[in-house]
C-alpha cells in the first residue's frame, strides 16, 4: 500500500493506493470514514486494478484549509493532480456520502469514467432535512444552533418520528451518534463544507447512455438510511447500462464480508 499527499491550493489531500493492475479504480469514502475503508475491496482487486482512495476534506489525514467550501471543481482538480490518473480513463466508486461525490464528478467528466460503482449512495435522492440544513441560510443557522444546543434538536426528532416525518435509520443514527459535542461539530462542519456537491440526477441519467457508462448500484437489503428502492427508481430508463445488486446487510455495504462479491462485479 502506498500513502501519499496531493498538494491542492493551500491544502494537502491524502490518498492511498493499492495494486498494480492495468485498470484503475478511484474511490470516495462515506461520512466520517477514511480512504482506508476501501482496503478490503482493494485487496480483492490488486492484481487486476490499481485502486486509489482519497481522504475527502475534513476526513482522515487530509489537511483542508479552504474553509467551509468544497465544490465539484475542487474534487475534479484534485483528481487531475493524481499522477496515476493523468490522461487516463478510470472506474469511479463512491460509498454513502462518497456516492454523492462520485456522481458529481461523473456529471462533470463523464468521458473519463468507464464504470460507476455506487455503494449505498447518497445523491440519487435529495433528503429534505439535508437540503434545508445546507442549502438555505436560515436552515443552516438553525442547524448550527441545534448542534450547539442539542436538547431541542433531540426533542424535535422524537416528535418527527411520532408523526413519521423522519427516516427511522436517520433517527437512530442521530440518537446513537450525536450525543457527543465533537460528533455534532463534525456533522455540521462536513455537511456545510460539502453542500456544493449536488449531482443533477436527471442530467446524469441522460449522459450515462450517451457515454456508454456501465453503472453498478449496490445496496444493503436491511439498510434503513439509504434504501434500495432509490436505486430501483434510478435504474428506470437506463436498464441497458445500469444493474442493481442487493446484498444481505445494512448500510455498511463497504464491509470486508462483502468485498469478494463487490470485486466480482467490477471484474
Amino acid at each position: 500500500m502506498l500513502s501519499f499527499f496531493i498538494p491542492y491550493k493551500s491544502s494537502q489531500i491524502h490518498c492511498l493506493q493499492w495494486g498494480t493492475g492495468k485498470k484503475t479504480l478511484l474511490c470516495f469514502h462515506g461520512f466520517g470514514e477514511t480512504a482506508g475503508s476501501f482496503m478490503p475491496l482493494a485487496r480483492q482487486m490488486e492484481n487486476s486494478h490499481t485502486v486509489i482512495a482519497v481522504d475527502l476534506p475534513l476526513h482522515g489525514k487530509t489537511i483542508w484549509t479552504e474553509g467551509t467550501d468544497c465544490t465539484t471543481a475542487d474534487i475534479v482538480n484534485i483528481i487531475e493532480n493524481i499522477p496515476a490518473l493523468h490522461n487516463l480513463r478510470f472506474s469511479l466508486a463512491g460509498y454513502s456520502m462518497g456516492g454523492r461525490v462520485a456522481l458529481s464528478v461523473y456529471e462533470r467528466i463523464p468521458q473519463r469514467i468507464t464504470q460507476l460503482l455506487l455503494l449505498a449512495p447518497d445523491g440519487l435522492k435529495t433528503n429534505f432535512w439535508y437540503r434545508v440544513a445546507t442549502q438555505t441560510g436560515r436552515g443552516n443557522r438553525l442547524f448550527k444552533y441545534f448542534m450547539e444546543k442539542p436538547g431541542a434538536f433531540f426533542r424535535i426528532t422524537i416528535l418527527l418520528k411520532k408523526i413519521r416525518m423522519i427516516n427511522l435509520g436517520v433517527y437512530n443514527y442521530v440518537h446513537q451518534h450525536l450525543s457527543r459535542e465533537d460528533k455534532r461539530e463534525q456533522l455540521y462542519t462536513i455537511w456545510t463544507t460539502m453542500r456544493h456537491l449536488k449531482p443533477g440526477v436527471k442530467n446524469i441519467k441522460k449522459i450515462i447512455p450517451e457515454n456508454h457508462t456501465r453503472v453498478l448500484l449496490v445496496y444493503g437489503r436491511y439498510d434503513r438510511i439509504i434504501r434500495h428502492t432509490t436505486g430501483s427508481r434510478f435504474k428506470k430508463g437506463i436498464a441497458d447500462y445500469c444493474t442493481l445488486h442487493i446484498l444481505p446487510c445494512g448500510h455498511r455495504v463497504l464491509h470486508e464480508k462483502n468485498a469478494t462479491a463487490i470485486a466480482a462485479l467490477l471484474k
Side-chain angles (χ1 to χ4, degrees):
M1 182 180 71
L2 175 65
S3 172
F4 61 96
F5 286 86
I6 298 296
Y8 179 69
K9 295 182 179 179
S10 59
S11 299
Q12 292 288 323
I13 311 302
H14 180 247
C15 303
L16 295 177
Q17 182 172 323
W18 298 267
T20 56
K22 293 183 179 180
K23 298 179 180 179
T24 305
L25 174 67
L26 177 65
C27 306
F28 294 111
H29 60 77
F31 173 87
E33 300 194 353
T34 70
S37 301
F38 282 91
M39 183 181 294
L41 178 61
R43 286 178 171 169
Q44 292 284 333
M45 305 177 65
E46 56 190 1
N47 292 327
S48 60
H49 287 71
T50 297
V51 181
I52 303 166
V54 179
D55 275 341
L56 289 168
L58 307 175
H59 290 80
K61 295 181 180 179
T62 284
I63 302 171
W64 182 255
T65 59
E66 314 309 320
T68 55
D69 285 299
C70 177
T71 66
T72 303
D74 288 322
I75 300 297
V76 170
N77 287 334
I78 289 167
I79 291 171
E80 297 298 338
N81 288 331
I82 298 176
L85 298 178
H86 188 60
N87 291 330
L88 292 178
R89 300 185 73 209
F90 54 91
S91 297
L92 184 60
Y95 165 64
S96 197
M97 183 185 75
R100 178 154 52 92
V101 178
L103 285 162
S104 299
V105 169
Y106 175 75
E107 186 176 18
R108 183 66 64 93
I109 52 169
Q111 70 282 357
R112 295 279 307 278
I113 311 303
T114 57
Q115 293 186 103
L116 188 58
L117 172 64
L118 301 171
L119 305 164
D122 184 21
L124 292 181
K125 177 182 177 182
T126 302
N127 179 277
F128 172 78
W129 299 110
Y130 175 83
R131 181 171 60 81
V132 170
T134 63
Q135 306 301 321
T136 67
R138 181 175 296 179
N140 190 252
R141 289 191 294 273
L142 281 173
F143 181 30
K144 184 176 183 180
Y145 173 82
F146 284 137
M147 292 298 96
E148 293 174 347
K149 300 182 184 298
F153 174 70
F154 287 130
R155 289 193 293 272
I156 289 174
T157 60
I158 292 171
L159 174 61
L160 291 174
K161 180 190 175 186
K162 288 181 179 179
I163 60 177
R164 298 183 179 181
M165 286 189 64
I166 189 171
N167 180 295
L168 183 59
V170 173
Y171 173 86
N172 290 335
Y173 179 90
V174 164
H175 285 262
Q176 290 174 11
H177 299 284
L178 297 184
S179 58
R180 288 169 43 184
E181 182 179 356
D182 60 332
K183 292 294 185 182
R184 295 193 300 273
E185 182 179 355
Q186 180 190 41
L187 178 68
Y188 172 79
T189 305
I190 292 174
W191 272 24
T192 301
T193 300
M194 306 297 283
R195 70 191 183 279
H196 297 297
L197 286 101
K198 298 182 291 184
V201 175
K202 288 184 179 180
N203 185 48
I204 288 170
K205 291 186 69 170
K206 177 184 176 182
I207 62 180
I208 283 171
E210 290 177 353
N211 289 274
H212 302 282
T213 310
R214 183 184 180 213
V215 182
L216 305 170
L217 298 172
V218 182
Y219 289 84
R221 183 176 302 278
Y222 311 111
D223 190 345
R224 292 185 175 182
I225 298 175
I226 300 178
R227 298 181 182 277
H228 60 79
T229 51
T230 303
S232 298
R233 288 191 292 270
F234 178 75
K235 181 183 173 183
K236 291 180 180 179
I238 55 170
D240 289 344
Y241 301 92
C242 181
T243 57
L244 174 65
H245 308 270
I246 302 175
L247 302 180
C249 62
H251 185 62
R252 296 194 63 79
V253 174
L254 192 60
H255 190 281
E256 188 171 3
K257 67 180 181 181
N258 298 322
T260 301
I262 296 171
L265 297 175
L266 283 167
K267 292 177 182 178

